[in-house]
Amino acid sequence: MSSLAHQLCGLRSSPLSSTPISTRKRFSPVVSAAASPTPISNAQTKERLKLKQLFKEAYERCCITPMDGVSFTLEDFHASLANYDFVSEIGTKVKGTVFSTDANGALVDTSAKGTAYLPTQEACIFNIRHVEEAGIYPGLEEEFVIIGGQEQEDEGSLILSLRSVQYGLAWERCRQLQAEDFVIKGKVVDGNKGGVVVLVEGLKGFVPFSQISAKSTAEELLNKELLLKFVEVDEKLSRLVLSNSKAIASSQSELRIGSVVTGIVQILKPYGAFIDIGGVNGLLHVSQISQNHISDIAAVLQPGDMLKVMILSYDRDRGRISLSTKKLEPSPGDMLHNPKLVFEKADEMAQTFRQRIAQAEAMARAELLEFQPENS
């Protein structure tokens, strides 16, 4: 017989009798040994009771001391939320990570509900055609300024700018250069009747014609670089005024006859080459290039060549400077055959030349004293 049949057959009750009901034994079912259930006191039931007690204690503990065992307080939690609270007001600085670029700009993750957009024209203080020209690639982490958009959930609702950040840094840099009285270079990008517009540190500044040393028109100076010093730096009024005359005067004060300076060949003429020595042009006459004869100056020098030259004479009133490389040649003809050696030995040869000059001057003075009549 199956176990189910045994269980059904094992359910029996006592037969009826004449014994009064009050004296009868209370009915109690009898279960056969084969179908006897697991006792209540087994290990599984004890484990369940134990877990129930643990849950009960944990519930009571949460009701009485809910922060017990937590490593931070509720105030700490609110403070952390404040640190990560996203503010999307215009002018707010936010940190973000570039994750995509296209022809018009870049998408930036600012940890806001949606992404923000960096247009190409706001990616750099200089004019660029693509954000990659400003070093902006996916993965770049930067601090941006919010310049537009609305506080909404639409993707790309915020407009960001790096140009605004760089703009502030450029003004700060100009203030530092003015305080330190530095001489800088600026490129002429425009002009008018009063002067020229130059680009310095990414900002546009103005140089009045009264502050330009050479008498030139705006058209003649266009796209050329000028040596400049700051005269006025006012970010609030967006005024940036510079002087070429002050920069030239500062550079020329360091020029001394017999000194060796580094210059760049600018223009070649049949009679010599004009050399830019720190914003000032000097003439390297063809007769002062080498101790050997030169028939074609273009065979020896080219625009853009870097030279070390000695200052032979300097007429401050007329602004004329005469230069020489012939005095710096270790051997006659080195400027034609080994100009690199002349460059390397320039300071050494200049020192030797100055010593010879000093000796010649001393001998001349001695001879002059020898022929002077003695006092009676």
Side-chain angles (χ1 to χ4, degrees):
M1 187 180 293
S2 65
S3 58
L4 179 61
H6 277 295
Q7 293 178 24
L8 293 174
C9 294
L11 296 176
R12 300 178 183 276
S13 62
S14 301
L16 295 175
S17 65
S18 58
T19 307
I21 295 176
S22 60
T23 60
R24 290 179 186 174
K25 293 182 179 179
R26 182 174 299 176
F27 171 79
S28 57
V30 178
V31 181
S32 66
S36 177
T38 305
I40 295 177
S41 60
N42 60 36
Q44 185 178 6
T45 303
K46 289 181 179 180
E47 184 66 23
R48 290 178 179 175
L49 291 173
K50 184 178 179 181
L51 288 174
K52 182 178 179 181
Q53 184 62 28
L54 288 175
F55 284 128
K56 181 179 179 182
E57 292 175 357
Y59 174 77
E60 293 175 349
R61 192 162 55 248
C62 289
C63 294
I64 299 172
T65 55
M67 300 303 293
D68 186 27
V70 179
S71 59
F72 58 90
T73 64
L74 190 60
E75 289 76 13
D76 295 334
F77 178 70
H78 286 304
S80 297
L81 286 180
N83 291 335
Y84 290 95
D85 190 21
F86 187 82
V87 180
S88 58
E89 295 180 357
I90 292 177
T92 303
K93 290 184 177 182
V94 294
K95 291 184 178 180
T97 303
V98 177
F99 66 87
S100 177
T101 62
D102 57 32
N104 299 315
L107 287 172
V108 182
D109 178 16
T110 59
S111 299
K113 292 182 179 180
T115 58
Y117 195 70
L118 174 70
T120 301
Q121 63 269 25
E122 291 295 332
C124 184
I125 197 171
F126 299 101
N127 292 327
I128 58 174
R129 295 183 178 181
H130 195 278
V131 292
E132 291 182 353
E133 296 178 36
I136 298 174
Y137 294 90
L140 174 71
E141 295 182 0
E142 266 292 357
E143 186 175 58
F144 304 85
V145 171
I146 298 175
I147 61 169
Q150 298 179 352
E151 192 172 351
Q152 57 190 29
E153 294 184 1
D154 295 342
E155 183 175 336
S157 60
L158 296 179
I159 305 300
L160 303 181
S161 173
L162 272 177
R163 182 177 179 273
S164 298
V165 177
Q166 296 171 358
Y167 189 75
L169 294 175
W171 278 103
E172 178 60 29
R173 176 65 177 160
C174 289
R175 284 191 290 269
Q176 292 176 353
L177 291 171
Q178 183 188 31
E180 297 173 9
D181 200 31
F182 263 49
V183 174
I184 63 167
K185 284 188 176 183
K187 185 178 181 179
V188 178
V189 294
D190 200 357
N192 52 44
K193 293 182 179 180
V196 295
V197 178
V198 293
L199 195 63
V200 289
E201 299 294 327
L203 303 175
K204 287 185 177 180
F206 184 70
V207 185
F209 279 125
S210 61
Q211 293 296 321
I212 297 178
S213 60
K215 299 300 180 181
S216 304
T217 64
E219 291 76 14
E220 291 172 338
L221 294 174
L222 192 62
N223 294 322
K224 291 185 178 180
E225 286 192 336
L226 299 178
L227 285 181
L228 302 165
K229 272 194 173 185
F230 290 97
V231 175
E232 183 179 356
V233 180
D234 192 328
E235 183 178 0
K236 292 182 179 179
L237 298 178
S238 294
R239 283 178 59 86
L240 194 62
V241 183
L242 304 101
S243 171
N244 169 249
S245 301
K246 289 186 177 181
I248 293 296
S250 177
S251 299
Q252 290 179 350
S253 64
E254 300 176 1
L255 300 178
R256 299 185 304 275
I257 295 175
S259 62
V260 175
V261 294
T262 301
I264 304 294
V265 177
Q266 298 293 314
I267 303 172
L268 298 182
K269 296 291 184 179
Y271 52 84
F274 286 96
I275 314 295
D276 178 4
I277 49 175
V280 183
N281 281 332
L283 175 62
L284 176 61
H285 195 271
V286 65
S287 63
Q288 287 294 331
I289 295 176
S290 175
Q291 297 180 53
N292 286 6
H293 176 71
I294 296 176
S295 56
D296 182 11
I297 191 173
V300 183
L301 301 175
Q302 287 294 319
D305 288 351
M306 180 180 290
L307 306 174
K308 280 190 176 181
V309 293
M310 176 184 285
I311 298 175
L312 290 183
S313 65
Y314 181 22
D315 187 339
R316 294 181 182 274
D317 295 331
R318 302 174 68 182
R320 293 183 178 179
I321 304 173
S322 297
L323 308 172
S324 174
T325 53
K326 179 170 73 173
K327 306 295 184 185
L328 305 178
E329 285 184 316
S331 301
D334 280 340
M335 272 301 295
L336 282 67
H337 311 298
N338 195 356
K340 184 178 179 182
L341 179 64
V342 179
F343 190 94
E344 294 173 350
K345 295 285 187 178
D347 294 303
E348 180 182 334
M349 295 304 298
Q351 180 64 25
T352 303
F353 177 77
R354 286 192 290 267
Q355 289 175 354
R356 290 202 304 264
I357 294 297
Q359 291 173 358
E361 290 176 348
M363 292 176 63
R365 284 195 298 269
E367 291 177 359
L368 182 62
L369 290 174
E370 182 179 349
F371 289 101
Q372 282 184 352
E374 296 182 1
N375 294 329
S376 56

